[in-house]
Amino acid sequence: MKKNKTLEMVQLAVLIAIMLILAFTPLGYLRIGPLAISLMTIPVVIGAMILGPAGGAVLGLVFGLTSFYQCFAGDTFGAALVAMNPFFTFLVCIPTRTLMGWLSGVIFKALWKIDKTKTVTYFVTGLLGAFMNTLFFMSTLMICFGHTEYLQSMNATGANLFMFAVAFCGINGALEMPMSCVVGGGVAKAVSVALKKNAATEEK
């Protein structure tokens, strides 16, 4: 039991280190317009699948904290949100990502019980993790800031709030979801297989 806990802590530390490297290099947040395509979802869903909901929540929290930090480190969109309301910006960045990480672990465990292939679950969870990230972020953003002149000025077509949110995050979500599905699902599956082989070898 102690050995398993140590292994889990090492895995969590490695994933956090990867996330910090991504966050503080151009790789983590690829800027397109006012928002960013984030690769940070990938290590979160990998950790959620390997370490469970608690691990996913911790990694989601790290994602959220780095996202919140970006608002003070040159992200013009984030800086504008902070200028309007720092607390609402905190809500947009941190609880949403923490919830996404936790739910990714919960969904993975639920799907694992019914997935006879023990493979599809990885890719479905990777896809849903990125979907939830976009959904939670944009929903909270619209609830907290949808009424502001700043976001209303971006809604040049005058579309309703829901349609504006879909258009606003469409490109980001469309790119994040397949990447998280393929890369996150593939890596998590490979790591899980390697861990099982290693465990079987040690038992012998």
Side-chain angles (χ1 to χ4, degrees):
M1 180 67 71
K2 184 176 180 181
K3 188 173 183 181
N4 289 339
K5 286 294 182 182
T6 301
L7 178 59
E8 289 178 1
M9 292 299 293
V10 170
Q11 293 168 341
L12 184 63
V14 169
L15 287 167
I16 289 174
I18 291 172
M19 293 181 71
L20 293 177
I21 291 172
L22 289 174
F24 296 109
T25 64
L27 296 174
Y29 296 92
L30 308 177
R31 303 292 171 189
I32 294 183
L35 295 180
I37 295 172
S38 177
L39 301 182
M40 299 286 283
T41 308
I42 295 174
V44 176
V45 296
I46 291 173
M49 288 186 271
I50 296 173
L51 302 171
V58 171
L59 294 167
L61 174 62
V62 173
F63 179 16
L65 289 171
T66 62
S67 175
F68 190 53
Y69 169 80
Q70 294 294 322
C71 299
F72 302 89
D75 181 350
T76 54
F77 182 70
L81 298 184
V82 168
M84 288 185 284
N85 192 311
F87 178 67
F88 281 173
T89 306
F90 172 89
L91 293 180
V92 169
C93 293
I94 296 178
T96 54
R97 273 59 187 267
T98 305
L99 179 61
M100 177 272 291
W102 181 76
L103 280 177
S104 294
V106 171
I107 289 171
F108 178 78
K109 292 179 70 174
L111 292 177
W112 182 262
K113 296 177 181 179
I114 60 174
D115 179 16
K116 295 181 180 179
T117 69
K118 302 304 180 186
T119 297
V120 174
T121 297
Y122 290 95
F123 297 99
V124 172
T125 302
L127 179 70
L128 291 178
F131 173 76
M132 288 188 294
N133 177 55
T134 301
L135 176 65
F136 297 159
F137 176 85
M138 291 305 303
S139 297
T140 309
L141 177 68
M142 290 301 137
I143 291 171
C144 293
F145 294 102
H147 64 284
T148 62
E149 292 183 8
Y150 181 69
L151 283 189
Q152 290 295 336
S153 67
M154 296 181 182
N155 188 11
T157 62
N160 65 55
L161 198 61
F162 173 76
M163 294 305 299
F164 170 61
V166 171
F168 193 51
C169 68
I171 296 177
N172 301 67
L175 293 176
E176 287 177 4
M177 284 187 282
M179 286 192 295
S180 181
C181 174
V182 175
V183 180
V187 171
K189 173 65 176 179
V191 171
S192 295
V193 170
L195 290 173
K196 288 178 181 178
K197 287 183 178 179
N198 184 60
T201 301
E202 290 183 352
E203 288 179 2
K204 293 180 182 179

